[in-house]
Amino acid sequence: MTMSVKRKVRGGVALIKALEAHGVRTTFGIPGVHTLDAYDALYDSDHIATILPRHEQGAGYMADGAYRATGKPGVALIVTGPGVTNVVTAAGEAFADSSRIVIIATNLERKYLDTLEGNLHEMKDQMGVMRPVTKWAHRVMSAKEIPGAVAEAFRQVQTGRGRPVYLEIPIDVMAEEVEIDELPVGEGERTAPNPEQVAEAADLIAAANRVFIFAGGGCDDEEVSPLLRELAHELGAPVCTSLMGKGAIPEDDDCAVGAFGYRWSPESPIASLMKGSDLTIAIGTGLGVRTTAQGTMPLPTPLIHIDIDPHEIGRRYPTAVGIVADAALTLKALLEAVRAGKRPKERWSVEEIRAVREANFQPANERAERYVAYLRALREATPRDAIVTCDMTMMCYEAVRYFPVYEPRTFTFPRGFGTLGSSLPTALGAKIARPDRKVVSLNGDGGFQFTMQELGAAAHHRIPVTIVIFNDSTHTAVKVAQREAYPGRYIDVDLVNPDYVKLAGAYGITAVRAESPAALSEALASALQREEPVLIDVPIKLEQY
């Protein structure tokens, strides 16, 4: 597909026109002297809005949040050198969590690339910094290459497993004039399932007594979710999700049992469904060691494993049928076979599944009960379709099991890389991309300080996100780990925090303090009615040392 333009422009204009051709409507980034040509072109753009974060790490997380909320690639525009090193952490998170983001950065003039001549922002190998955290990295060396390179970046980012991609443009290429007469548009390629493998999978389903479905992040999608639900109902199969799969099926559906938690535990009520089944269909999950507790999760065998990434098939669990294909296309094919008669001999009853679901949502112990009180308050005040972004914090770890989610793309978590501080900028990106949804950012007090400067972006653009900080003046997860491994030997885990209400006030952001679950529910319900950013500071003491 191409779009005709036919005009002589500078490389910066060619870049922005190419982004417009791909439907980009927002870029996240901080302008610098090396990106002036691109930003001058953005000044004239009638289609692309710019969001100004306060740090390039925030730009990366915002692009990631935009993707997670919509399924459409987010775009970060980054300056040479320190801008690139700043965005690497967010790129690493996107890589680990299979997020589709496009990072575009400048570099020095072509004659100075990788030469260490004493220039501003120079690096020994800027491309080498980005390659480990992207699936595709490319440097253009002339302005005429820009439209094609942008098209290839979008083809790459939308094809196969989601990962970030990186495009680098030297600053003199940005300034170079070029005549462009067409703008190619890169489109993703979808992999259809092998019909013979679908038939093998259908035969296994027909031979089974009862089926168990495990749904990962590849199912947390508006197209895949209803197909997953249909398959579960056709088979009478319970659906358990991984952390990344939360939202793939409404967690009050007759076939849903929820997610078992941050990682597998043999005490999980869901174990009874696994042990009572004799076939697993795993969809859109790598069955990674963190999810499966080093492969100890007792998935029933045989295993049908469906994933877009061939490297995940058979790595941790023996696979009877491994289908490397698009989840939606594969589920459609399986549904056709099932409706033609390939059903298991028995169904799990609605009552059996409900009993496990209800047990799974009950606090496992008195400690969990303390957290669940706050999670119930959050759920009570939050609309069913609201987007909730999590940080690496204790409340969010417990939310994986105890906070029910009802729609795809409404629960985000920095699962793979485990970065602190992602929640606030991820929420801002999600709200920019989905202005029709309420967005709530959940934070710990320690992690919040990694990116709290993005309160400036929230205030600047008046982005109506509600920011909740669970505040115990501690890096709690680490202190708990020290308690378990080295009792009484606590070091560098207790914090001196700012007054978050006053901090928000310094930005002109409305802020309140909620000192109980009931107060949190009331404050959150009120905040979500306002078309402005609101911060809620929640003092807690939920751990015992």
Side-chain angles (χ1 to χ4, degrees):
M1 179 177 175
T2 60
M3 292 183 63
S4 296
V5 178
K6 192 87 175 175
R7 56 183 292 200
K8 195 167 189 177
V9 298
R10 292 163 73 89
V13 174
L15 170 65
I16 301 310
K17 291 297 180 186
L19 293 177
E20 290 175 347
H22 284 84
V24 174
R25 294 297 174 259
T26 308
T27 60
F28 303 94
I30 302 171
V33 294
H34 288 186
T35 54
L36 293 181
D37 280 294
Y39 272 87
D40 187 66
L42 283 166
Y43 183 89
D44 290 328
S45 177
D46 294 326
H47 302 286
I48 300 179
T50 59
I51 297 296
L52 177 63
R54 296 314 188 250
H55 189 282
E56 285 89 0
Q57 186 177 124
Y61 287 137
M62 289 177 194
D64 192 354
Y67 165 72
R68 295 190 195 220
T70 65
K72 298 177 182 178
V75 177
L77 184 55
I78 304 298
V79 74
T80 314
V84 170
T85 57
N86 284 344
V87 83
V88 165
T89 298
E93 187 62 65
F95 188 93
D97 285 350
S98 302
S99 288
R100 304 181 192 273
I101 66 173
V102 178
I103 300 170
I104 302 169
T106 51
N107 204 337
L108 301 180
E109 297 91 340
R110 283 167 286 189
K111 66 180 179 179
Y112 291 124
L113 290 171
D114 308 328
T115 61
L116 299 181
E117 296 287 345
N119 272 305
L120 176 68
H121 295 341
E122 72 180 7
M123 296 177 68
K124 182 179 179 181
D125 182 6
Q126 184 171 296
M127 287 285 290
V129 169
M130 294 302 297
R131 284 195 182 98
V133 292
T134 55
K135 69 181 286 188
W136 177 88
H138 179 72
R139 175 189 287 166
V140 301
M141 291 297 284
S142 68
K144 69 180 180 181
E145 298 175 45
I146 290 174
V150 170
E152 180 60 15
F154 275 84
R155 189 189 74 81
Q156 289 279 351
V157 81
Q158 296 176 98
T159 298
R161 182 173 184 170
R163 302 282 203 193
V165 300
Y166 174 67
L167 180 62
E168 185 173 289
I169 308 174
I171 56 174
D172 58 332
V173 173
M174 284 281 201
E176 184 177 74
E177 287 200 338
V178 61
E179 185 175 275
I180 53 175
D181 56 4
E182 64 179 27
L183 293 171
V185 176
E187 298 174 337
E189 300 167 6
R190 301 177 72 178
T191 303
N194 181 315
E196 292 182 2
Q197 291 181 320
V198 172
E200 289 178 37
D203 288 342
L204 286 177
I205 292 171
N209 290 310
R210 285 177 164 182
V211 176
F212 179 83
I213 297 176
F214 187 64
C219 297
D220 187 28
D221 173 84
E222 291 88 345
E223 182 182 9
V224 179
S225 175
L227 297 170
L228 172 68
R229 192 176 183 183
E230 287 178 41
L231 181 66
H233 282 261
E234 290 284 353
L235 300 178
V239 179
C240 170
T241 73
S242 69
L243 184 164
M244 297 301 291
K246 273 184 78 71
I249 186 169
E251 291 187 320
D252 57 358
D253 184 87
D254 283 345
C255 287
V257 294
F260 48 73
Y262 185 66
R263 62 174 67 86
W264 172 254
S265 168
E267 291 78 30
S268 170
I270 298 170
S272 64
L273 296 173
M274 294 183 182
K275 293 173 182 176
S277 301
D278 57 356
L279 175 69
T280 298
I281 305 175
I283 312 160
T285 171
L287 298 174
V289 295
R290 293 283 287 174
T291 296
T292 64
Q294 311 293 328
T296 61
M297 186 169 71
L299 288 177
T301 57
L303 168 65
I304 300 168
H305 194 176
I306 302 163
D307 199 84
I308 194 63
D309 188 346
H311 298 292
E312 300 291 6
I313 303 293
R315 290 189 69 181
R316 298 166 195 97
Y317 286 81
T319 302
V321 178
I323 301 176
V324 179
D326 178 272
L329 297 179
T330 304
L331 287 176
K332 288 176 183 177
L334 272 180
L335 275 166
E336 186 177 338
V338 168
R339 286 168 176 155
K342 297 290 187 176
R343 287 185 169 83
K345 298 180 180 67
E346 300 176 23
R347 300 171 60 89
W348 286 96
S349 72
V350 170
E351 292 75 21
E352 288 172 311
I353 296 172
R354 181 189 302 120
V356 173
R357 178 173 63 249
E358 291 177 352
N360 192 52
F361 278 116
Q362 288 301 310
N365 49 45
E366 186 270 339
R367 175 194 164 278
E369 178 68 56
R370 296 195 290 269
Y371 284 92
V372 169
Y374 286 91
L375 293 170
R376 288 174 175 162
L378 286 168
R379 185 70 275 178
E380 177 183 296
T382 307
R384 189 177 176 92
D385 66 349
I387 295 170
V388 175
T389 68
C390 291
D391 208 280
M392 292 291 287
T393 187
M394 298 297 281
M395 192 65 69
C396 289
Y397 301 153
E398 299 299 334
V400 179
R401 176 172 172 177
Y402 299 117
F403 183 85
V405 175
Y406 304 116
E407 294 194 20
R409 300 195 179 281
T410 60
F411 185 84
T412 80
F413 202 108
R415 176 65 169 98
F417 216 35
T419 54
L420 286 167
S422 67
S423 178
L424 172 57
T426 299
L428 297 177
K431 182 63 179 179
I432 291 294
R434 290 299 305 265
D436 57 315
R437 295 286 182 93
K438 302 295 184 183
V439 178
V440 179
S441 168
L442 303 184
N443 305 266
D445 53 319
F448 184 72
Q449 292 182 61
F450 279 53
T451 57
M452 66 183 181
Q453 68 274 5
E454 299 308 341
L455 288 173
H460 179 166
H461 297 285
R462 304 308 293 170
I463 304 171
V465 164
T466 301
I467 304 146
V468 181
I469 304 173
F470 293 99
N471 184 355
D472 61 0
S473 299
T474 305
H475 280 303
T476 314
V478 183
K479 191 168 184 177
V480 166
Q482 289 179 352
R483 180 186 68 194
E484 301 303 318
Y486 307 102
R489 295 172 61 82
Y490 301 118
I491 180 171
D492 288 348
V493 288
D494 295 315
L495 301 169
V496 175
N497 286 337
D499 183 321
Y500 290 115
V501 172
K502 290 181 179 178
L503 179 67
Y507 281 101
I509 291 175
T510 299
V512 297
R513 189 163 283 116
E515 303 203 18
S516 68
L520 171 60
S521 184
E522 182 180 349
L524 181 57
S526 175
L528 290 172
Q529 298 305 309
R530 305 171 73 100
E531 288 301 313
E532 63 175 338
V534 177
L535 185 146
I536 305 172
D537 180 35
V538 186
I540 56 170
K541 291 293 181 185
L542 303 182
E543 295 290 339
Q544 298 171 354
Y545 301 102

